[in-house]
Amino acid sequence: MNILHETILKHPQQNIEKYTLENSQGYSVSFLNLGGTITSIMAPDKNGTFENVVLAYDHAEQYLENPYYLGALIGRVAGRIQDAQLGPYKLEANEGEHQLHGGPHGFHSVYWNVRTEKRDDAAVAVLTHFSRDGEGGYPGSLDVQVTYTLDCDNTFTIDYEARSDKDTWLSLTNHAYFNLSADSGRDVLGHALQLNAEGIAEMDEDQLPTGKWIPVKDTPFDLKTGKLVREAAESDNRHIINAGNGYDHLFLLEQRDLNQIIVQEEESGRKMTVQTSEPAAVIYTANKMDTVHPLKAEQAKGPYAAICIETQRIPESLLVPGLPTHKLAAHEAYRSRTSFTFGLV
């Protein structure tokens, strides 16, 4: 196991530091102190060629704005909040009247404190941040710790822990965009996606939840046996069309000890297995991604450039009895785990 550290951009506010976790098989995960942003996950194809399987910007300066939230930690609450309002609290809006991914000063934009630890069986980085009471409009002083672990079994795990001194709302995730065809320039229409879901959250024209769940049976959202992303993109299902001809939906996962999502791409031979303790995940196939903000030259660009898997809690408007929502009681421990295991089809 090995851990590398370098300064990639000197900045008057704070330097951007890059950390790289490496295992003995050649797999590696690189991330920044800015936003805890994952910039690279190196994994081999069927020929043994290691390439970056997450989208990355072409220049370090682009991470100061990061309009796509590429690879960033998201908080306090992932997703859209209608009218930027939670209970009596008015939040900072950043998508018209609504709030998206924690607002303009969300966790994607903060500099996290980082400490690293090299173990015999894993390379570990612990990221911490203190979010003061009222930050972004949210109540409660919040201590957050996110742990990145790359082990010898080629599994990258993200552990989230937090605690607030007041009742608040919290739903943390990571916004990495995956493309298992890596530097080929191919989009993800040929990627197969498999997951066990009971339903999806119905969305209105602004992609805000209506409060209803739609059963997945006999729809393009039934992925229990796997479907190519192309099948969704070409569907005439109105919920697919409304999202920009693809997935941008909250899936209610079948409840198990660890819920599982599988992504694979035949041509490269790569396979990624995602396991999560969370009850739901937004699957986004970059339907509305533009080409204004340059990505790495070899990577796919524009619509369907990648798949984002945002594991998270359930909004109160979609409350399901017995499952964790994004409401967090004062002094209650918030814990969540999502892991990504890389292998071959």
Side-chain angles (χ1 to χ4, degrees):
M1 312 305 294
N2 194 27
I3 300 175
L4 305 175
H5 173 211
E6 61 179 313
T7 299
I8 63 167
L9 183 67
K10 293 186 181 294
H11 191 263
Q13 178 185 354
Q14 188 168 341
N15 291 343
I16 298 181
E17 309 286 334
K18 184 174 81 170
Y19 298 81
T20 300
L21 312 178
E22 298 178 336
N23 74 8
S24 55
Q25 281 81 24
Y27 290 76
S28 68
V29 177
S30 296
F31 68 93
L32 309 178
N33 60 336
L34 174 58
T37 302
I38 297 168
T39 61
S40 172
I41 297 180
M42 300 296 289
D45 66 7
K46 61 187 178 184
N47 299 315
T49 302
F50 279 82
E51 295 172 303
N52 185 8
V53 296
V54 297
L55 295 190
Y57 292 117
D58 208 15
H59 305 289
E61 292 85 351
Q62 292 172 269
Y63 287 100
L64 293 169
E65 295 185 10
N66 196 0
Y68 297 138
Y69 301 90
L70 291 191
L73 291 173
I74 301 298
R76 289 190 184 188
V77 173
R80 292 175 179 84
I81 297 176
Q82 187 168 5
D83 300 323
Q85 188 84 31
L86 279 175
Y89 296 95
K90 186 62 178 177
L91 311 178
E92 290 184 330
N94 63 331
E95 191 180 60
E97 298 177 351
H98 313 305
Q99 185 187 89
L100 177 65
H101 293 331
H105 303 104
F107 291 170
H108 65 282
S109 68
V110 305
Y111 288 85
W112 292 71
N113 299 310
V114 181
R115 63 176 175 84
T116 59
E117 178 184 350
K118 188 163 56 175
R119 303 174 185 168
D120 290 340
D121 60 349
V124 180
V126 179
L127 294 76
T128 57
H129 173 62
F130 175 74
S131 179
R132 60 176 174 77
D133 184 22
E135 191 173 83
Y138 289 92
S141 294
L142 185 75
D143 282 299
V144 188
Q145 176 176 297
V146 180
T147 303
Y148 290 163
T149 303
L150 178 64
D151 66 21
C152 295
D153 296 323
N154 308 325
T155 296
F156 172 56
T157 300
I158 307 178
D159 286 295
Y160 305 87
E161 300 178 52
R163 198 180 298 264
S164 171
D165 64 354
K166 294 181 181 179
D167 290 352
T168 191
W169 290 265
L170 191 67
S171 182
L172 305 177
T173 195
N174 181 276
H175 212 275
Y177 286 81
F178 294 93
N179 185 322
L180 300 185
S181 61
D183 294 342
S184 70
R186 295 192 301 276
D187 59 33
V188 296
L189 291 174
H191 281 47
L193 183 63
Q194 180 180 354
L195 59 90
N196 290 318
E198 299 176 6
I200 60 159
E202 183 181 62
M203 299 291 181
D204 65 16
E205 294 299 318
D206 294 324
Q207 285 300 101
L208 293 163
T210 66
K212 298 178 181 178
W213 291 100
I214 301 172
V216 301
K217 187 176 180 181
D218 299 324
T219 75
F221 303 99
D222 187 350
L223 303 174
K224 293 182 180 180
T225 58
K227 278 187 172 69
L228 294 180
V229 172
R230 180 176 289 105
E231 293 182 58
E234 296 175 353
S235 168
D236 61 0
N237 180 283
R238 67 182 180 89
H239 302 290
I240 293 286
I241 294 171
N242 186 49
N245 298 104
Y247 295 124
D248 188 5
H249 299 85
L250 181 70
F251 286 75
L252 177 64
L253 303 175
E254 289 187 357
Q255 298 313 303
R256 305 177 178 187
D257 290 340
L258 283 176
N259 297 306
Q260 184 166 280
I261 301 166
I262 297 173
V263 183
Q264 58 187 42
E265 202 252 340
E266 289 289 338
E267 196 161 342
S268 69
R270 291 187 179 96
K271 177 180 179 180
M272 179 177 72
T273 302
V274 182
Q275 292 186 303
T276 184
S277 61
E278 293 299 85
V282 168
I283 306 296
Y284 177 49
T285 48
N287 320 317
K288 298 177 181 179
M289 182 173 277
D290 58 39
T291 56
V292 174
H293 308 280
L295 302 179
K296 291 287 187 182
E298 302 84 0
Q299 295 184 324
K301 298 166 181 64
Y304 315 115
I307 300 172
C308 195
I309 300 172
E310 306 162 55
T311 59
Q312 58 193 261
R313 300 284 160 100
I314 297 172
E316 285 179 286
S317 64
L318 291 160
L319 184 63
V320 175
L323 297 183
T325 72
H326 62 15
K327 189 74 179 286
L328 182 68
H331 308 296
E332 178 184 349
Y334 177 102
R335 292 188 177 90
S336 170
R337 167 174 284 190
T338 298
S339 65
F340 306 83
T341 301
F342 297 90
L344 298 176
V345 175

